[in-house]
Amino acid sequence: SNIESVILKKPIIASPNPFQETSSIILSSELQHGTLIIFDLFGREVQRMQNLTGNTITVHRNNLSSGMYYFRLNDGLTVIGSGTISVN
């Protein structure tokens, strides 16, 4: 089936948060085939990072305007966590 399994593991930490240029998303477990998707407050995808491995992801501001964003982190088809980040 195409239904994603949801397994929320230990907390995901984004630091610094809020941030100006870069923020690190720190995980308690290692990603094998990770995807980080960042959404604006309207639910529109504004940034996607794929093929992530390890337990730390560096998020670059790129074209993100100041404000709050939601993120979702998948490893393969499994959603392993979500949260919010703020850009100054």
Side-chain angles (χ1 to χ4, degrees), residues 2-59:
N2 288 339
I3 298 174
E4 293 179 344
S5 59
V6 177
I7 300 174
L8 295 177
K9 296 184 178 179
K10 295 178 184 174
I12 297 172
I13 299 166
S15 178
N17 191 14
F19 71 99
Q20 291 183 349
E21 296 302 321
T22 62
S23 182
S24 294
I25 295 179
I26 304 161
L27 314 169
S28 59
S29 60
E30 298 276 325
L31 290 173
Q32 302 300 315
H33 304 286
T35 301
L36 176 71
I37 307 169
I38 300 175
F39 303 93
D40 66 14
L41 294 180
F42 298 104
R44 296 178 295 218
E45 181 179 319
V46 294
Q47 196 173 120
R48 177 182 290 249
M49 299 170 64
Q50 295 179 294
N51 301 316
L52 303 170
T53 58
N55 66 348
T56 303
I57 302 164
T58 301
V59 177

